[in-house]
Amino acid sequence: MCFHRRRIPRHLLLEAPANRFNYGRALKWFLLLIMAVMLAVVASVAKARAYQEEHYVPGRETSSSALYTSGSGHLYLRGSEGGLGSALHHESEAQVTIKGMLAKVVLRQTFENNSNEWVEGIYVFPLGETAAVNHMVMEVGERRILAQITEKQEAERMYQEARREGRRAALTEQQRPNLFTQSIANIAPGEVVTIELHFHEAVSYADNTFRWRLPTSLTPRYIPGAPLSEESLQLPINGWSLPTDQVPDAHRITPFMDVSKALDAPPLVNRLEKPRNPIRIQLRLDAGLPLAEIRGSYHQLRLHKNGDVHSVTTVPEMVSMDRDFEISWKTPAGQSPDAAFFTEEVKGEDYGLLMVLPPQQALQQRLPREVIFIIDTSGSMSGTSIRQARQSLLMALERLQSTDRFNVIEFNSEHFPLFDQPRYAGSRELKAARRFVEKLEARGGTEMAAALQTAMASPAPEGYLKQLVFITDGSVGNETALLQMIHQQLGDARLFTVGIGSAPNSFFMRKAAEFGRGTFTFVGSQQEVGEKMQALFSKLETPVLSNLKIEWPLGLNAEVWPKKLPDLYQGEPLLVSVKFEGKLPPGSQIRLSGEQAGQTWSRDLLLTPANSKRPAAGVSLRWARAKIEALLDEKTRGRHEDEVRAQVLQLALEHQLVSPYTSLVAVEEIASRPQGEGLNTEPVANLLPHGQTLQALSYPQTATAAGLQMLMGMLAFFGLLLLRFHSRLRRARAEIRAPLLMLCEGEQQP
Amino acid sequence: MKWRPLLSLLLVGLMAWCWGSAAWIHLKAQLAQQLIARAWDSTLAGDTRTKPWPWADTWPVARLQVEDQDLYVLAGAQGNSLAFGPGHLMDSALPGEGLTVIGGHRDTHFRFLRDLTPGQRLHMQTAAGELLSYRITHLEVVDVRNQPLLVEPDAQGLLLVTCYPFDSLDANGPLRLLVWAEPDAGYGLIL
């Protein structure tokens, strides 16, 4: 056995030194290579740093961020010709009194001119879509100037005249039922002007919960159509959009937005600063019922009980106007009211507000359905909205059964259906739908019409109930045209709207559901998705209450609005306003009847006012407002505008209501601004609704591992070379060793 | 001893895998553009969301031309699109409708960004066939960790984004090169 290594005598090796591979040197080479690679990496990083420093612009004042103004941290999306409107500081205060089902709100908007020049302030603000605005006072120092209700054009003329002559003036106009403009002319340098607005609204009641909502900001609306030609433009333009052929008043409904809150950039926005566009909300809730729960949907509330009245404020007291305020209250289980009647006497005539919750059985019978989900993926849905929308839609898909048919249509600037035709909800189809929904991203415009048309186009097969579920924030400026389309093309289908986001266009969503004989569900935050969608599902799956009728006592002349009672879904009450000719005789009885799933039912009700001692203020205004709304709906359905206008005008003037044809205007008698001095127009910016990340885009990940892999390959290659050298060395050694082995063998032979 | 051939095999394998996948990245990037060209033609002919191959989860949304570069821009700026072409960031506007943000890999399609200079013209064709021109205003390098990409909703223009530095080995580096371009009335021809 000669395999144990033997020391080879040195002199025998002298023959082969040339072949000897130097291990140490190879290692050095290898190390050198690694060093070189590392050096190259370091150098490229250093180069990048140098480039960055050279091209770095402090604050990134690039073309993309004309957003930033210097200093104060006041950020505006776009300036007007008069510069960025930071001269007017604005804050609001709402004093709300809720009695039973009626809310009275005194909204005080304070504008402070902190520039050295005379200023005209223009503020576009949202209110609830059923708000009846009937009173406005302009307060300058000690003086209070009461506004008059005036025909819209005449009001505008009075305001412009005062504005020119240097007299202080204030004008409140309605642009949409839920969107108003406040203009204040001739605010002196350093002066504070307060506008006090009064409005009345009915509280909403559904699914055993009362809710009242105060919108504070608006989601920028999408304006479809082509801009109108230059000549037809009426200056000044105080919105970010020019009028278009489809939305001729676009510039009036597109106020500038203040995005400072939307930027999550700590060095730029001081978070400790008091909220911008702050509002203080003080609410007195006199529900007239024992309460089990009071909740703020999007704000933390502080409650104080005083007899039957709860005083409510937000915590902190001043909050940013970047999301709607909503308060909800509930009675203890089993004690929720199923009917209420409120009356008010005005000029010898009785007005009433009637709420009835009809008896509804949760029927187990399921009709096969064809559900078309229409989901808005426009830019205004970006941020938290699209996540809520996706989540809502995924929940809805879960509820489908294999006998149901469905389709999903996504729309932004264009629309894309999931399937060409609605399909049965088999597991494969649902899987495809889930994948489709999970990948939805928000961008682009809001071209609703085509998507709705596609959804409405094909009738459902025989025996199927066609339901459209429309998930959107409703941020469009062409509401009326869309409502007309829904009215004309919906056929037998029913349209359910789901409002998403911190500040959706509730006027459009509610009206669309009304014209579509469905319901409006509002989802304001991620936490609400589950609860609100469950409520919607039970509405979708339970037969509707239809053919509702009220029989009034014989000989009693009652003018009821809405005239045609709507169909009611699970948990929804009937809410009607009525005007009686003369007095309502005590002990009057009415009969309410209806139909559910082919069965008729009726119920007798004694009209006993819930507020027999004190009349409920606002009942008459609600009646007038309901009538105006019904008249405007008739216009949407095709009635001639002149007829509608005449009726609305008369009604609005009689009840002192702001409407599309009437405005509130207050003018001072004496001029304040010297004729020599100019007047700047300052649009007051609204806060971008909470959760909107319209501005913040994420960077794409734009490198591959190709470079690294090339290098790794290179290293492997060098390793291989090294190994080759190594084996060659071994071979060389073996060659030398061979004769020795022979020698060795010879020696060991016995 | 057995470890030598084993190590050799391992190294050969590693080399093949590394170079293979690097080559595959480049090959995919080149080949896909050829396939997308056909999808683009049918998009221009009126189809929407034409997928370049049946199992693709992206589709061409624009065509971008700079100097001798001619690229099809795909929907979405995530990995699955960027492997085959520059990707349009879905949250940003489509070309001609606002500020369009397009990302591309620095190793493949957007390597040419390092040769761009302010003043150069970029040409874009939209899915509707419209031809748009842009002029580069400036280039900047940003750190994604402290410089968010903030855009006015009504901003107009084009923003090309790629990773920086170009020769870095780190595939997840924080630096980005931004090429800002504004709409330019000058009319560019697309082939």
Side-chain angles (χ1 to χ4, degrees), chain B residues 6-22:
Chain B
L6 206 70
L7 187 64
S8 291
L9 205 70
L10 206 74
L11 284 173
V12 170
L14 185 69
M15 190 178 78
W17 178 70
C18 283
W19 279 353
S21 44

Side-chain angles (χ1 to χ4, degrees), chain A residues 208-281:
Chain A
N208 299 326
T209 310
F210 293 90
R211 289 173 201 277
W212 178 76
R213 187 176 191 93
L214 179 70
T216 63
S217 188
L218 46 113
T219 305
R221 290 178 190 197
Y222 176 74
I223 305 296
L228 295 176
S229 61
E230 298 277 337
E231 309 92 68
S232 59
L233 292 187
Q234 296 251 319
L235 290 169
I237 299 283
N238 284 311
W240 51 257
S241 174
L242 291 177
T244 68
D245 50 358
Q246 290 185 38
V247 189
D249 63 349
H251 58 294
R252 293 179 190 276
I253 60 167
T254 53
F256 298 114
M257 305 301 289
D258 179 343
V259 298
S260 57
K261 275 277 291 183
L263 309 178
D264 278 333
L268 293 163
V269 182
N270 185 353
R271 284 163 191 285
L272 296 174
E273 207 181 323
K274 82 173 185 181
R276 297 190 31 69
N277 273 22
I279 186 167
R280 184 198 307 270
I281 298 168

